[in-house]
Amino acid sequence: GENVEQHPSTLSVQEGDSAVIKCTYSDSASNYFPWYKQELGKGPQLIIDIRSNVGEKKDQRIAVTLNKTAKHFSLHITETQPEDSAVYFCAASPNNDMRFGAGTRLTVKP
Amino acid sequence: DADVTQTPRNRITKTGKRIMLECSQTKGHDRMYWYRQDPGLGLRLIYYSFDVKDINKGEISDGYSVSRQAQAKFSLSLESAIPNQTALYFCATQGQGSTGELFFGEGSRLTVL
């Protein structure tokens, strides 16, 4: 089955700096790559996703890039704010079995 | 009210006890999922269901069973709980096939002593 690795496990940045989280996947059949944000005490919530026919997608301060050849995709958050502090999960879906990375705890220091 | 509701939110039980975690949704989605979250391991799929008559095992189904009572209800059972089933459990729904957004409940924290 699909295996998703996510790095780093923790990330601390100053407010206003950029944050980058990277994921690799193993199954070349994966064609959908979402990113979820989990705030304390809540369930994960989709923040952005990308499909395999697209190399990059941007939504305001967040962007995702996908390199299908290398089987990796990344989340970029620019101009970070304290409310960006949360756990972020990447995922890859080759079929009905969406596999998640282990998560990255992002802390944005004011 | 939340679109995906899980009960109970917190539960402490003893080894060997039977536990049921319930999930109900008002989104009208056919697809429902149960995930388990452990620190450093992310979210792992336990079971999923695409309609009332469809139940599928996920990555870590051993020790768990599920019941899809209606389109809106999907329950997870631990027949005989053990300590390594201590975790945060999430129910999720999906409305657009295998590449649609997952909508998660707020989680059920289970502690098995």
Side-chain angles (χ1 to χ4, degrees):
Chain A
E2 175 63 275
N3 181 48
V4 178
E5 295 191 356
Q6 182 172 346
H7 301 280
S9 57
T10 61
L11 180 59
S12 181
V13 300
Q14 287 295 135
E15 182 177 359
D17 288 350
S18 295
V20 180
I21 303 171
K22 298 182 179 182
C23 289
T24 61
Y25 62 99
S26 60
D27 192 337
S28 57
S30 285
N31 57 7
Y32 176 63
F33 307 91
W35 286 88
Y36 284 81
K37 175 183 180 182
Q38 184 180 25
E39 297 179 341
L40 194 62
K42 296 187 176 182
Q45 194 166 16
L46 180 72
I47 54 171
I48 195 167
D49 57 14
I50 191 168
R51 299 178 192 275
S52 59
N53 58 345
V54 176
E56 183 174 357
K57 184 176 179 181
K58 190 174 182 180
D59 183 4
Q60 298 182 353
R61 295 187 297 108
I62 60 173
V64 58
T65 59
L66 171 65
N67 183 327
K68 286 210 69 179
T69 303
K71 295 196 185 74
H72 67 70
F73 56 114
S74 301
L75 177 71
H76 304 253
I77 305 174
T78 59
E79 301 174 16
T80 53
Q81 301 168 3
E83 52 265 39
D84 294 329
S85 294
V87 178
Y88 291 82
F89 293 99
C90 63
S93 179
N95 43 45
N96 298 310
D97 184 5
M98 190 177 297
R99 297 294 178 101
F100 286 82
T104 296
R105 182 174 298 278
L106 173 64
T107 302
V108 180
K109 300 177 183 177
Chain B
D1 289 340
D3 293 326
V4 183
T5 303
Q6 293 184 230
T7 56
R9 294 292 313 281
N10 288 283
R11 181 73 183 269
I12 300 173
T13 191
K14 295 182 179 180
T15 297
K17 293 293 186 181
R18 183 178 188 274
I19 294 297
M20 179 181 285
L21 305 180
E22 298 183 321
C23 177
S24 63
Q25 53 116 344
T26 58
K27 299 193 74 67
H29 290 164
D30 288 326
R31 295 176 175 233
M32 296 188 73
Y33 301 79
W34 274 104
Y35 284 91
R36 168 178 171 160
Q37 183 177 12
D38 298 277
L41 295 178
L43 294 154
R44 292 182 292 166
L45 182 61
I46 306 172
Y47 270 96
Y48 60 101
S49 169
F50 290 163
D51 64 39
V52 175
K53 297 181 181 179
D54 178 76
I55 300 290
N56 304 280
K57 292 183 178 181
E59 184 184 357
I60 53 162
S61 60
D62 287 350
Y64 302 95
S65 62
V66 291
S67 173
R68 185 79 184 267
Q69 300 94 328
Q71 186 207 35
K73 295 185 181 296
F74 192 35
S75 300
L76 176 72
S77 293
L78 289 68
E79 296 301 327
S80 180
I82 56 177
N84 76 1
Q85 291 178 313
T86 293
L88 184 56
Y89 291 85
F90 285 100
C91 174
T93 72
Q94 186 181 46
Q96 294 181 357
S98 63
T99 59
E101 178 178 357
L102 289 171
F103 293 88
F104 286 86
E106 297 202 322
S108 295
R109 184 169 295 281
L110 176 65
T111 302
V112 183
L113 302 177

